[in-house]
Amino acid sequence: MKILFVSSEVFPFSKTGGLADMGNFLPKSLKKIGYQMIVVTPYYKGIEKYHKDMEYVFTRAIVFGNQREEVHYYKLDNDGVETIFVQNQRFFERDNYYGYNDDAMRFILFSYAALEFIDSMDIPPHIIHCNDWQSATIPYLLDEHYRMWDKYRNIHTLLTIHNLEHQGVFGLDKAQYFNRSFDYTYTHFNSINYLKTGIERATKINTVSPNYRNEILTQEFGFTLDGALNKRSSDLIGILNGIDFEVFDPRTDKLIKENYNLSNFISNKAINKKDLVTKFKFNNKNAPLISYIGRMAHQKGIYLMEHTLERVLNETNANFIILGTGDAHYENYFKYLEDKYQGRVLYYHGYNEPLAHEIYAASDIFLMPSLFEPCGLGQMIAMRYGTIPVVRETGGLKDTVEPYNEYTNKGTGFSFYDEHPEVFKNILMNAINLYNNDQTRWHQLMRRAMRNDFGLEKMALEYSKLYKIIVEG
Ligand code: ADP
């Protein structure tokens, strides 16, 4: 089966978040199980360093609204996956990927360009797999402008929602880009809404965890699209993301001090911890090491940490290591904490892949108290490294972390539901107390966490099932 996979981010060419990882992992893992995957993505600034390995394919003029834009297609073999870059220097080669006044124009151009590319294919794809708002107009444009051509007649579409918060909302004047007289399919609350357009028209829709799939049907998590999603609930599926064991596996990870597995993790994980706490000059090298790696964003529940960590520092021996950038308010909080608790708190400001690996391998407890979380990769990586997650019971966090039960001695992490600092603090204190007072149980907990299988293979098989359902009707 042939799939045209359209994503506005594909690692290593572009990345702002999890979408880029999935833009890489999904096509690769589906190719492994026999799918012909062709990836389409914008040619952003920075991608020119790959240009020497690309092959020019063709050029096409696209007319939408009162615009006429040329796009050039370049082809690259990305580890066996054919990747097509859509080039239009003026639109895509800027300092950032998003956040411009003409984003509506830029990403509908990208979507038209993906559809136009099919015209150059000998055999069209069975499915166009769209990802998030940037390519969510494709199912509509396909229906309205391309269906009459033989090549396009039988193409199905899948829309994967990686994060419902970002929808591509624009003023009604952008309606002209759809090249159709006004239509409520693409409007929502008196605005143009690209994601809603895809929700209305895609053959099937999926989110990146089963629990988030259910949550987005509610007003609390629906970001105003719960109504539109409920209308399509029988076509809405949840498929858990996976993590790449070629990148994140303590047995083989070349970025960590000492590799470890299920039989030597107790001694070898400790070597990683000793190395990191020594490097960052922590005072008490044996104290529980608690980490956070991620965006400094409201979504991540950082305000729960903001009202809690200082008291935890005062009441326990715990040390903290924080890695990430984002909202200045949260960054300043962690800088403050680092200044005040020297030798106990380390805040590294920046994006640092090698350090992230070192932290996953070295720390004992990993924080992820997100307010909402479509899937979350951090907690899955942490567990793989025997680092026990403390999470809020939401989205994919609920699907992946089984709460520790002291009576049955089961579970793989600690979790709480009420979005309240006291509740978060209590559960974090439980984790710290177990670490400090019962190492035998802690090691059993680590072993169970490490045994989880959140691999890409499992995820690919789920998408494969969905592709078959889509094509077979
Ligand atoms: P989201 O996609 O919402 O940002 P996820 O947990 O799904 O959150 O994925 C985040 C990924 O990015 C994880 O693999 C995490 O380790 C990585 N990451 C986040 N911030 C940083 C950082 N500052 N340095 C290195 N890796 C990071």
Side-chain angles (χ1 to χ4, degrees):
M1 198 187 294
K2 197 176 203 172
I3 312 291
L4 192 78
F5 186 91
V6 186
S7 178
S8 65
E9 293 180 32
V10 177
F11 183 81
F13 310 108
S14 51
K15 175 166 176 169
T16 66
L19 172 62
D21 290 327
M22 286 307 133
N24 178 35
F25 296 156
L26 254 177
K28 255 183 212 165
S29 51
L30 282 154
K31 182 174 181 276
K32 259 191 200 152
I33 56 170
Y35 285 85
Q36 190 186 347
M37 304 297 294
I38 298 158
V39 174
V40 181
T41 193
Y43 188 128
Y44 296 114
K45 192 167 152 181
I47 289 179
E48 62 271 12
K49 61 174 176 279
Y50 300 96
H51 196 93
K52 58 178 186 336
D53 303 317
M54 294 182 192
E55 187 189 318
Y56 169 75
V57 190
F58 72 114
T59 295
R60 174 109 338 159
I62 293 168
V63 179
F64 59 107
N66 51 18
Q67 291 288 125
R68 182 185 181 281
E69 289 293 332
E70 273 192 355
V71 292
H72 311 289
Y73 298 89
Y74 287 88
K75 186 161 87 176
L76 178 91
D77 177 26
N78 177 26
D79 262 355
V81 176
E82 183 178 323
T83 305
I84 304 296
F85 292 93
V86 176
Q87 189 195 46
N88 174 304
Q89 211 170 15
R90 197 164 66 85
F91 274 54
F92 298 122
E93 293 177 54
R94 301 182 184 177
D95 289 341
N96 297 307
Y97 308 147
Y98 321 117
Y100 297 98
N101 285 337
D102 56 355
D103 279 357
M105 210 192 277
R106 296 170 67 225
F107 287 98
I108 208 157
L109 173 66
F110 171 57
S111 301
Y112 277 115
L115 283 161
E116 289 287 334
F117 180 76
I118 294 169
D119 195 31
S120 75
M121 297 165 82
D122 292 337
I123 301 167
H126 295 86
I127 297 172
I128 308 176
H129 186 157
C130 312
N131 292 278
D132 281 350
W133 68 266
Q134 295 90 343
S135 49
T137 57
I138 287 178
Y140 179 84
L141 301 176
L142 171 68
D143 284 348
E144 299 295 320
H145 302 300
Y146 293 86
R147 284 269 182 231
M148 63 282 227
W149 311 111
D150 269 353
K151 260 195 185 151
Y152 295 84
R153 193 154 292 141
N154 299 316
I155 300 177
H156 307 277
T157 53
L158 170 64
L159 171 64
T160 300
I161 301 174
H162 299 262
N163 192 335
L164 191 63
E165 188 179 18
H166 308 295
Q167 301 178 1
V169 178
F170 308 105
L172 284 178
D173 55 316
K174 309 293 187 288
Q176 52 168 317
Y177 302 154
F178 289 92
N179 286 346
R180 264 280 172 269
S181 51
F182 191 79
D183 182 341
Y184 286 105
T185 309
Y186 51 69
T187 65
H188 184 55
F189 289 143
N190 225 19
S191 294
I192 301 289
N193 187 311
Y194 280 10
L195 192 66
K196 188 237 175 192
T197 312
I199 292 170
E200 292 265 336
R201 285 291 176 89
T203 316
K204 294 274 181 197
I205 307 155
N206 84 292
T207 63
V208 290
S209 70
N211 188 45
Y212 190 63
R213 180 257 173 220
N214 294 336
E215 285 177 347
I216 60 174
L217 294 173
T218 66
Q219 213 175 2
E220 188 185 352
F221 293 99
F223 281 105
T224 78
L225 287 179
D226 43 301
L229 286 160
N230 270 291
K231 265 192 356 204
R232 298 292 318 271
S233 63
S234 59
D235 293 313
L236 177 64
I237 296 108
I239 299 180
L240 193 68
N241 277 343
I243 53 171
D244 188 352
F245 294 153
E246 282 175 25
V247 179
F248 291 108
D249 189 340
R251 292 176 300 184
T252 51
D253 191 338
K254 293 201 170 50
L255 296 170
I256 65 175
K257 179 85 181 163
E258 193 75 34
N259 290 121
Y260 52 96
N261 56 35
L262 277 167
S263 38
N264 63 12
F265 70 94
I266 298 174
S267 56
N268 286 16
K269 189 169 162 62
I271 298 172
N272 290 289
K273 179 171 171 181
K274 189 164 177 226
D275 184 58
L276 198 70
V277 294
T278 307
K279 185 154 99 187
F280 289 125
K281 303 190 173 64
F282 280 90
N283 299 335
N284 180 352
K285 298 186 174 40
N286 298 316
L289 182 62
I290 303 176
S291 58
Y292 172 78
I293 301 173
R295 292 182 289 122
M296 299 286 164
H298 180 69
Q299 175 199 334
K300 300 294 175 183
I302 299 178
Y303 88 92
L304 294 172
M305 299 190 214
E306 208 181 345
H307 290 93
T308 311
L309 299 194
E310 200 159 354
R311 283 184 293 142
V312 173
L313 277 157
N314 293 335
E315 292 168 28
T316 73
N317 58 346
N319 291 329
F320 288 86
I321 182 156
I322 312 290
L323 167 63
T325 58
D327 292 357
H329 172 81
Y330 299 129
E331 291 183 353
N332 288 336
Y333 164 68
F334 287 118
K335 274 182 215 148
Y336 155 81
L337 216 57
E338 183 185 48
D339 283 349
K340 187 162 174 188
Y341 296 90
Q342 280 176 27
R344 290 190 67 192
V345 177
L346 186 282
Y347 170 43
Y348 187 100
H349 177 268
Y351 191 93
N352 189 326
E353 198 84 30
L355 180 59
H357 285 244
E358 287 179 57
I359 296 174
Y360 283 122
S363 42
D364 302 299
I365 295 170
F366 185 79
L367 303 179
M368 212 153 157
S370 306
L371 306 185
F372 70 94
E373 194 61 76
C375 176
L377 300 175
Q379 84 284 9
M380 293 197 272
I381 301 170
M383 285 189 277
R384 183 83 182 161
Y385 283 76
T387 303
I388 302 306
V390 174
V391 303
R392 212 180 138 246
E393 285 161 14
T394 187
L397 297 172
K398 192 172 174 191
D399 283 323
T400 51
V401 179
E402 187 194 339
Y404 170 66
N405 182 324
E406 62 179 309
Y407 302 104
T408 58
N409 194 21
K410 287 209 168 113
T412 55
F414 290 81
S415 65
F416 65 103
Y417 177 73
D418 288 324
E419 202 187 298
H420 195 287
E422 284 318 304
V423 179
F424 170 59
K425 178 173 176 264
N426 283 342
I427 205 81
L428 178 54
M429 292 295 275
N430 288 350
I432 295 171
N433 286 334
L434 187 70
Y435 178 90
N436 280 335
N437 301 322
D438 195 339
Q439 277 288 304
T440 308
R441 280 203 162 202
W442 190 264
H443 294 149
Q444 290 164 347
L445 184 55
M446 286 169 76
R447 185 184 293 281
R448 289 193 296 271
M450 288 173 75
R451 275 215 180 110
N452 273 315
D453 176 12
F454 297 119
L456 297 176
E457 226 168 274
K458 230 179 181 175
M459 172 186 74
L461 290 173
E462 291 291 312
Y463 276 95
S464 168
K465 257 194 245 164
L466 179 55
Y467 285 165
K468 284 180 184 143
I469 291 171
I470 290 173
V471 168
E472 283 157 18

